Amino acid sequence: MIDTQLIMLEGLPSTGKTTNARFINIQLERSNFDAKWIHEVAMPHPVLFFDEVGLTYDEYNKFLKIYPKASDILNKIAVFKKNTVGIHLPEIQWNHKDEIGEDIYKALLKFDVWNFPLDVYKKFALEKWANFTEKVIKNRNEVYIIDSALFQFQIFTFLFQNKPYEELQNFINQIIDIIQPLNPCLIYFYRENTEATINYLENDRGTSYLNSIWNRDKAQPYYANKPPGAESFKQFLRDYAFMANLLFNSLPTKKLSLEISDKNWACLEDEMLSFLNINRIPSPDYFPKNGVYTNDILGFVITVDGLSFTDPTGKIRKFFPKTKKEFYVDLLPTVLRFEDNKIIILGSQICERWTKTGTIYNLCKTSVG
């Protein structure tokens, strides 16, 4: 394999980043690499900020003085970096909300990084990238796959604030300087005609999806004085694509661009494997035990049927054999391990609680395997 500990995948929404991040993750593991895929909404995310509180040490210490009863819990779950402290909010929501109390939880929300001024966000973000790099470099055998972190999250952040491209590029260059010890490489998915991607996204997810994204972000400065609804989000995607293309061409890293209009994914996969210098290894022929698996405490149900299952949200998902007992979940960094008439959740968790690492689902006795 090429000398890298960090593989980054970027592109507009609906260009195949998540699908191919999972593909690369599987192929690396089958080639006996210690590969770790960090999903766009993995929690807690090592370089991005979704539902995360950020405080300086001075702010953190003042917070604990005001709310001393929260100190034991926060000191246990917080991530302490050189100058800042990070607290993942879903960890509190899922496991400590009753102990913390609603007043303390609301007080923490004032430090949500998503709402920080851009200059403050930059400082927190750069330290988070540095912290991630320091941890990865300690184990040269690890290879991380990250999608939507370098371009997508940053372009959204800067474009929302109507910042010029030059300011975005300068910030991306600072990130590149930090992660350089990992010998990062970049795979960029695109369609030559940006309108084709926008049309694909609308057909795949519906105009209601485009409207929902606009509605979520309509308070951002970018949308001021623009017409409401999906058409404004489409213009956002055009501006996004323009910036992403410029960024890709400017970066001094190992990189590969893949034009995906013809949808020949087998050939595109071969290009990625060639770029990474690894071989394709086919999936083994293993099947899980069919049936209905439940977690009665959480009230969650997983129904397994062959190489697909219905997750607790009602969504039907495919999965692929990893070993005789473990199966990769399509489009997620989650692994299902079948053991002694139960499923154990492994891999990285995302914002959906059913994926929480270590969660156990037991096979119903009335279920036929």
Side-chain angles (χ1 to χ4, degrees), residues 4 22 41 65 81 90 110 118 174 210-212 221 270 306 355:
T4 183
R22 176 47 111 189
V41 293
K65 285 183 179 180
K81 296 180 279 292
K110 297 177 182 178
L118 193 56
Q174 290 180 70
L210 303 186
N211 278 315
S212 70
D270 287 340
T355 68

Side-chain angles (χ1 to χ4, degrees), residues 14-114:
S14 286
T15 52
K17 300 184 296 299
T18 301
T19 301
N20 288 288
R22 176 47 111 189
F23 170 76
I24 291 171
N25 170 234
I26 291 174
Q27 291 301 318
L28 284 174
E29 288 197 340
R30 288 178 181 166
S31 296
N32 296 316
F33 287 94
D34 184 4
K36 293 177 172 56
W37 171 31
I38 307 299
H39 189 278
E40 179 183 354
V41 293
M43 55 169 286
H45 201 289
V47 297
L48 300 184
F49 299 92
F50 293 104
D51 292 324
E52 182 167 327
V53 160
L55 306 95
T56 65
Y57 275 89
D58 183 54
E59 290 171 333
Y60 183 71
N61 290 328
K62 287 181 179 177
F63 190 90
L64 294 186
K65 285 183 179 180
I66 298 172
Y67 304 103
K69 79 170 189 176
S71 59
D72 287 345
I73 293 171
L74 296 184
N75 285 333
K76 181 172 65 175
I77 67 175
V79 177
F80 298 94
K81 296 180 279 292
K82 185 176 180 180
N83 298 300
T84 62
V85 179
I87 300 170
H88 197 60
L89 290 170
E91 179 65 23
I92 295 176
Q93 292 173 320
W94 293 0
N95 301 314
H96 304 287
K97 191 71 175 287
D98 291 340
E99 302 166 76
I100 286 284
E102 190 67 27
D103 57 333
I104 296 177
Y105 182 77
K106 287 182 178 179
L108 281 171
L109 291 178
K110 297 177 182 178
F111 298 93
D112 189 335
V113 178
W114 189 254

Side-chain angles (χ1 to χ4, degrees), residues 249-313:
N249 291 325
S250 73
L251 290 186
T253 60
K254 299 183 187 78
K255 55 189 177 183
L256 171 69
S257 62
L258 296 173
E259 215 287 341
I260 65 171
S261 295
D262 64 1
K263 301 179 183 179
N264 191 342
W265 287 108
C267 288
L268 294 171
E269 288 172 354
D270 287 340
E271 285 192 60
M272 287 187 286
L273 295 176
S274 177
F275 171 66
L276 297 172
N277 196 26
I278 57 175
N279 296 318
R280 182 192 294 268
I281 299 177
S283 177
D285 291 326
Y286 297 127
F287 291 88
K289 189 171 186 177
N290 288 349
V292 178
Y293 297 77
T294 65
N295 182 295
D296 293 333
I297 295 175
L298 297 174
F300 290 162
V301 177
I302 291 176
T303 304
V304 177
D305 182 11
L307 288 177
S308 69
F309 71 97
T310 304
D311 73 22
T313 71

